[in-house]
Amino acid sequence: RSLTVRGVPQTQTGGQGPVRGALLALAQRTLTALGRPVCYIAVDQRYRFVTRALLDWSGKPQSEVLGREVVEVDGRELYQLYHAYLEAALNGERVSFERQLSSVKRNAFWVRVDYYPDRGPRGDIRGVLATYTDVDNIKQMELEAGEREHRLRIVTDSVSLPIFYFDRAFRLRFANKPYGDYVGVAVDDLPGQPPTNFVAAAALDDVVGCVRRAFPGPTGPHDKVISSSLCRR
């Protein structure tokens, strides 16, 4: 989209000129002032712009980043892990992924990287704008939650009774191994599924009614015997 700036000459050559240069410099100063870790990677996979915040995160001076190839800055081993995301973005795909950063100033921490393809007036890809968001606290909580679930599963799997957990949307969120064996479904395939996927129709109304009665708060034993028709084998 063409930009008109009052009082600034509009003459440009090949898309370059005073206006484009001034606007580019303004955009770079604005991004730097915001304090957000942001960079621009051109189609040749070289860093053409990088904010001070990102340099602080990486622990590298500007001279070791600006104008250099991504593989040179990140190292070939790390580049092999993530280059597919960059190449997808350079092919026009909006990409997000998580990775770890580390530097002499900070131990390894998790960030979410978002790649936004930059298209020219004719739709050609000129490069990628990349933003980095600190998600280390969220990632640590996810890892801790995973560890707690793992410990819970060790305990519940050792119990001979089937144990399961439904949410209010009637999606199964947790089940121990005896329950998976009981309904004839691998326990790893159960989370997220509704009971209609693994409970026989003859027993479904009974199961759903029992769960609905539990949602308001009352607890107690099931008042009917569910036959072997519960399993959909």
Side-chain angles (χ1 to χ4, degrees), residues 22 26 35 53 58 67 74-75 98 192 211 222 224:
L26 176 61
S58 67
D74 289 353
E98 294 179 353
V211 175
H222 197 293
K224 293 183 180 179

Side-chain angles (χ1 to χ4, degrees), residues 138-188:
I138 297 175
K139 195 70 174 180
Q140 293 304 324
M141 287 189 291
E142 290 178 351
L143 293 174
E144 291 172 4
E147 291 176 359
R148 287 195 297 270
E149 181 175 341
H150 176 67
R151 291 194 294 269
L152 176 62
R153 184 170 296 281
I154 291 176
V155 174
T156 58
D157 283 354
S158 64
V159 178
S160 59
L161 294 175
I163 299 173
F164 60 94
Y165 176 87
F166 277 101
D167 62 16
R168 285 188 171 272
F170 278 87
R171 296 282 178 176
L172 191 136
R173 296 304 178 188
F174 175 83
N176 67 346
K177 189 175 185 303
Y179 185 75
D181 295 339
Y182 185 56
V183 297
V185 180
V187 68
D188 291 338

Side-chain angles (χ1 to χ4, degrees), residues 57-230:
W57 273 16
S58 67
K60 297 179 181 293
Q62 188 181 65
S63 59
E64 293 183 8
V65 178
L66 205 58
R68 298 181 182 270
E69 292 186 42
V70 175
V71 63
E72 182 182 359
V73 174
D74 289 353
R76 187 163 298 279
E77 183 177 351
L78 190 61
Y79 177 78
Q80 291 296 328
L81 293 176
Y82 301 105
H83 74 95
Y85 297 107
L86 177 57
E87 292 174 357
L90 290 173
N91 284 322
E93 183 179 346
R94 166 76 166 79
V95 179
S96 296
F97 63 96
E98 294 179 353
R99 57 163 288 191
Q100 281 189 305
L101 284 180
S102 60
S103 69
V104 294
K105 297 182 179 180
R106 185 176 178 184
N107 293 330
F109 62 103
W110 286 93
V111 299
R112 188 186 74 240
V113 184
D114 293 282
Y115 284 155
Y116 302 89
D118 174 34
R119 297 182 182 274
R122 298 181 179 179
D124 55 312
I125 302 297
R126 299 181 297 192
V128 170
L129 180 69
T131 63
Y132 296 73
T133 305
D134 188 339
V135 295
D136 195 61
N137 288 338
I138 297 175
K139 195 70 174 180
Q140 293 304 324
M141 287 189 291
E142 290 178 351
L143 293 174
E144 291 172 4
E147 291 176 359
R148 287 195 297 270
E149 181 175 341
H150 176 67
R151 291 194 294 269
L152 176 62
R153 184 170 296 281
I154 291 176
V155 174
T156 58
D157 283 354
S158 64
V159 178
S160 59
L161 294 175
I163 299 173
F164 60 94
Y165 176 87
F166 277 101
D167 62 16
R168 285 188 171 272
F170 278 87
R171 296 282 178 176
L172 191 136
R173 296 304 178 188
F174 175 83
N176 67 346
K177 189 175 185 303
Y179 185 75
D181 295 339
Y182 185 56
V183 297
V185 180
V187 68
D188 291 338
D189 295 334
L190 285 172
Q193 292 195 42
T196 53
N197 288 2
F198 53 86
V199 176
L204 184 60
D205 289 343
D206 190 31
V207 172
V208 171
C210 180
V211 175
R212 285 191 187 280
R213 289 195 298 274
F215 281 146
T219 61
H222 197 293
D223 57 3
K224 293 183 180 179
V225 177
I226 301 178
S227 69
S228 60
S229 62
L230 175 65

